[in-house]
Amino acid sequence: MKKSLNFFFFCIYLLGLEGFPLLVNAQKPLAYPPTPRENVVDVYFGTKVEDPYRWLEYDTAQNVKDWIKAQNKVTFEYLSQIPYREKIKKRLNEIYNYAKYSAPQKVGEYYFFFKKEGLQNQAVLYYQKGLKGKPEVFLDPNAFSKVGTIALADIEFSGDNKYIAYSISRSGSDWREICVMEVATKRQLPDTVKWVKFSKTAWYKDGFFYTRYEEPQKGKEFSSLNQFSKIYYHKLGTPQAADILIYEDPKNPLRYHFPEVTEDEKYLIINVSEGTSGSQLLYKDLQKPNSEVQLLLPGFEYNYDVITNLGDKFLIRTNQGAENYHLVSVDPKRPQQQYWLKILPEKKDLLQAVSLVGGNLYAIYLHNATTQVLEYSLEGKLKKEIQLPGLGTAVGFGGKIDSQELFYTFSSFTSPPSIYRLDIPTGKSEIFIEPPIPIDVKAYETKQVFYKSKDGTSVPMFIVHKKGLKYDGKNPTYLYGYGGFNISLTPNFNILNYILLENNGVYAVANLRGGGEYGEAWHKAGMLEKKQNVFDDFIAAAEYLIKQKITSPEKLAIAGSSNGGLLVGACMTQRPDLFKVAFP
């Protein structure tokens, strides 16, 4: 949402450059409300660190509420004076008003998919019998709340296809409530599980595993620390108070625990993490009553992702012994690395994900920040490459081991998300759903360039604009970056970009170090004491755009959300001469 709002404000700036005054009272300085400072000092390893604004962390305090209200008053008074704001809003409504679909998921004899009508608040879950059945509404989250403050967060179907567990989020909170419905009748079951956070619903027999925290004190629901996560099992038809504790780790209160159950329901897998990088694997043999949770692979130096099990062996995607990841078979009786069987050895490109569908392995690789999909046998023999429509991002490729079809979604900066059905026996892909968008995307193009950063490292960047756009240094340009947490910025369709593009603007995305575009080495090159590399890469991207006369410092805006906000804050501080507008 922040990224979309940034575009809105940049469009205001863009129109301001095209002959409108930016503000009615542009010369009048903004009168920000005062922000009191307090004398708060912490001592870390002998170093005093001031924290004068800590009082703002207490989000339920009245003085914090008053401060926020005063800040919002300044913001909205400023925005209300912009004369062409309604014009932009009108155009946004026009281009955003089209149906959006998710790839379908086969559940028994039904296909489930999400569809969001033009300006609908939330996508609605539909189902239909067979590929050509009539779609019917199964679950409409827009009806959860009259004011739209309850969102559908996640859905999981039981292994026997009889039930669906769906989780809801209230007012944007990370807290989840799990509810259950019967698929055939759409009957709501009385089961409700609360105080769930950072957890999937892992079905097993007539119930499911989930992760929860202790119920917080009243009034501190949104400010309490996430400590002592526990995995429970809930049996359908019983109250939450009767749920069975499966695993806890009181000696390590800050660890996160994510439960999953293998497709054959033989094993419970617990993926443990302490942060955003590095994991540990635990497992429980569900075939043996009262079996203990055991360590499979220790943490937290490497990442592990259990794809499935083949009998009593686990297929695991990991970067242990392979910075760009490989797929290995691990025997829980001898889980040490010297006993692993390599199924898909490491390649130059990053192995992003693997799925086992219809007896084949589908390996999704990242090649120069774009998707490549290869089909392998279970022994790791290459069968073919899945031909994608072009350079872009493909997601999906999920399904059950015995499926004869799978679905995936392909998109790029100039291709809206189209859903494809792959017939596994014939290997043929065909368009299943192509959204009707109100813009001629063929009038636009994407270029991928490689530029040199400060230390000589080659960094890729995508540049999107109208075909035939003249590079004269006068094009308003929006440069986006992230550069952290092993996250890759791949080609992604966002129709809101076209407000900028249809006004002869340029949209650029730089694939900075710190991301995951080239594996763990690329990630680590932008971490910790090497964080300056990320800022240098972004600054070099701006310099490239200016040197090539795609834009100029007077026409260049930079943006980044979350970790990207740190990036923008650093760059606008280090090189304010390069940018006219910044959205940290």
Side-chain angles (χ1 to χ4, degrees), residues 249 280 481 542:
D249 185 2
Q280 179 184 74

Side-chain angles (χ1 to χ4, degrees), residues 321-334:
E323 283 196 338
N324 284 343
Y325 289 83
H326 55 176
L327 183 72
V328 297
S329 175
V330 178
D331 184 344
K333 298 183 184 68
R334 298 193 304 173

Side-chain angles (χ1 to χ4, degrees), residues 60 175 195 214-225:
T60 58
W175 288 116
W195 307 116
E214 292 301 317
E215 182 177 349
Q217 295 180 22
K218 191 171 182 60
K220 294 187 177 181
E221 293 88 349
F222 307 117
S223 55
S224 300
L225 285 174

Side-chain angles (χ1 to χ4, degrees), residues 7 16 54 73 81 93 101 107 143 164 172 249 253 317 346-347 356 391 439 488 501 521 567:
F7 261 109
R54 184 175 295 173
K73 185 174 184 293
Q81 298 179 66
N93 281 329
Y101 296 83
V107 180
I164 177 176
D249 185 2
R317 186 187 74 99
E346 182 183 19
K347 294 177 58 176
L356 172 53
L391 296 179
I439 280 178
S488 303
L501 299 177
L567 164 71

Side-chain angles (χ1 to χ4, degrees), residues 433-482:
I433 297 176
E434 190 171 26
I437 63 169
I439 280 178
D440 179 16
V441 293
K442 294 179 181 178
Y444 302 88
E445 63 180 342
T446 300
K447 299 178 180 179
Q448 186 179 39
V449 300
F450 293 82
Y451 63 90
K452 297 293 185 183
S453 189
K454 183 178 181 179
D455 62 357
T457 298
S458 180
V459 181
M461 176 166 55
F462 295 103
I463 300 172
V464 190
H465 53 65
K466 278 184 182 177
K467 290 179 179 177
L469 183 71
K470 184 179 179 182
Y471 290 174
D472 57 5
K474 298 179 181 180
N475 303 306
T477 299
Y478 186 94
L479 172 61
Y480 188 83
Y482 189 81

